[in-house]
Amino acid sequence: MALVVVPVRYPLTKHSRRTLERAIEVARERDAALTILHVDLYQNGRKVTRIDLKNAVERVFGPIENSRYVVRTGFLVEESILDEVAAEEADAVVIGGQQASRLRRIFRRFTDNPDIDRYLRTHLDCEVITVEPTRA
């Protein structure tokens, strides 16, 4: 079964809800499983549980079929996202526009090519779907 990964903030922000909504659509269109990921930063000292994340998501979207909830702890959100995508061999990752910008900056530090989509497709066989914020 195909897999879509979507990183979100907790508590869910307006943009996280929009990104998650798009990820749910992509997972349904592709008949894929969905991993909903939150990254707890060590330096913030906060502890979010999978149950916290699941309850927050289900309050907004109701139960989501073929979904799993993952909370990772790390120093860099972007690195933890890439770790999850690689570890789960995801077919697609749905990220917000701001997250895409941060990933591009990190890629520029380590490679000559900040094209995240191409890099992930080449190295991890993964598609990146970016959700831009809505304009008011």
Side-chain angles (χ1 to χ4, degrees):
M1 175 177 265
L3 175 66
V4 175
V5 173
V6 58
V8 296
R9 292 180 190 263
Y10 179 89
L12 295 176
T13 63
K14 180 179 177 183
H15 193 60
S16 287
R17 287 190 300 269
R18 182 170 155 67
T19 303
L20 184 52
E21 180 178 38
R22 179 66 182 123
I24 293 167
E25 290 171 6
V26 170
R28 285 183 181 148
E29 289 166 3
R30 298 176 184 200
D31 195 28
L34 179 65
T35 295
I36 301 160
L37 170 68
H38 169 72
V39 179
D40 257 351
L41 296 175
Y42 282 119
Q43 58 271 33
N44 289 351
R46 192 164 173 204
K47 201 70 173 143
V48 176
T49 68
R50 289 176 347 125
I51 297 298
D52 294 334
L53 180 61
K54 181 178 187 209
N55 288 340
V57 170
E58 288 186 349
R59 270 193 299 277
V60 177
F61 296 98
I64 302 169
E65 286 186 48
N66 296 321
S67 63
R68 75 187 257 273
Y69 297 83
V70 175
V71 176
R72 281 187 170 258
T73 306
F75 286 108
L76 293 172
V77 171
E78 296 77 13
E79 181 181 14
S80 297
I81 292 169
L82 292 175
D83 286 347
E84 184 69 23
V85 168
E88 297 302 320
E89 298 180 1
D91 299 286
V93 59
V94 179
I95 58 175
Q98 289 178 334
Q99 193 67 53
S101 296
R102 284 188 214 107
L103 281 168
R104 282 187 191 93
R105 282 195 301 273
I106 285 177
F107 268 71
R108 278 190 207 113
R109 284 188 221 155
F110 299 115
T111 70
D112 292 337
N113 183 358
D115 187 341
I116 303 160
D117 194 29
R118 185 181 313 146
Y119 178 88
L120 290 176
R121 267 190 268 125
T122 302
H123 292 83
L124 302 176
D125 195 24
C126 180
E127 175 186 3
V128 175
I129 300 167
T130 304
V131 178
E132 294 302 329
T134 55
R135 305 284 184 228

